[in-house]
Amino acid sequence: MDLENIKEILEKDEDEAVSDVLSTVEERYGEVPYILNFMKDMPELLIPKVMYDNSIMREFERLDPETIELICVGVASALRCDHCLKMHIRVARRLGLTREQIFDAILIGGALSNASVLAEGTRALDDEGNGNSPSCDSDCDSCNITGSDR
C-alpha cells in the first residue's frame, strides 16, 4: 500500500474507509479474517492494523505470496493459533499450494516451536543447576530452596 493509497483511505469517512479496507483484504485472502470482522466497528484500530500488516505481508517484492503464506502457516503452527492456522491454510490452498507444501511449513513451525521449548528449558536448567540464582535478596524463600525442599 503506497502513501497515496494510505492518504486516500485516511481522507474517507470511517464507514467508507472500513468498507474499502475490508474489501481489499477479502480480495487478497478470499475472506475477511475473524479478528478484522471483530474490529470493523473500531476503525481507529482496524485501519492502522490492516495498513501495517499489509505493508509487511503483502507489499514485499522480495517474497512471493505463496512463500508469505507458508511462513504464516509455519508461524501460526508454532504459536498454536488454531484460528490463524486454519485461515492461512485456506489462503495457501487458494494460492495453489499443495498439501505437502503446507505440511512442510507446519513441520518447520513445529520444529522451531520444539527448539524454543528446549532452548528455554535447558538454559533454565543450566542456570539453576550451576548455582546461578536470580538476583534477588538472600531472604527470598523462592531463591533459597535447598535440595531437601524439592
Side-chain angles (χ1 to χ4, degrees):
M1 184 174 294
D2 63 32
L3 289 176
E4 285 303 313
N5 289 351
I6 292 170
K7 266 175 73 176
E8 285 178 28
I9 290 170
L10 294 176
E11 290 172 354
K12 295 179 179 184
D13 71 53
E14 289 180 354
D15 291 338
E16 188 179 2
V18 167
S19 178
D20 286 356
V21 165
L22 293 179
S23 292
T24 301
V25 168
E26 188 168 17
E27 285 174 26
R28 292 222 186 238
Y29 283 118
E31 63 186 274
V32 176
Y34 172 83
I35 188 66
L36 299 184
N37 268 322
F38 184 89
M39 294 173 68
K40 69 183 174 192
D41 295 328
M42 300 173 240
E44 70 283 1
L45 299 174
L46 172 70
I47 293 170
K49 178 188 178 5
V50 171
M51 287 180 175
Y52 176 76
D53 291 352
N54 189 42
S55 68
I56 290 178
M57 294 175 36
R58 301 292 168 221
E59 295 300 321
F60 281 151
E61 292 182 8
R62 299 178 297 269
L63 298 174
D64 59 85
E66 293 82 5
T67 301
I68 291 169
E69 277 315 309
L70 290 173
I71 292 168
C72 291
V73 167
V75 170
S77 296
L79 294 175
R80 296 183 178 104
C81 182
D82 186 54
H83 306 291
C84 294
L85 179 57
K86 288 178 179 178
M87 194 213 62
H88 285 289
I89 287 172
R90 289 191 303 271
V91 173
R93 299 291 287 190
R94 283 187 202 111
L95 289 172
L97 293 164
T98 67
R99 179 180 176 88
E100 292 77 16
Q101 289 171 307
I102 296 168
F103 182 61
D104 288 348
I106 292 169
L107 286 173
I108 292 167
L112 289 174
S113 179
N114 177 270
S116 173
V117 168
L118 293 173
E120 188 69 23
T122 55
R123 281 182 174 81
L125 181 61
D126 272 352
D127 285 348
E128 292 304 316
N130 293 331
N132 298 335
S133 58
S135 58
C136 58
D137 73 40
S138 60
D139 293 330
C140 175
D141 290 334
S142 295
C143 295
N144 292 316
I145 297 173
T146 64
S148 62
D149 294 335
R150 291 182 190 191

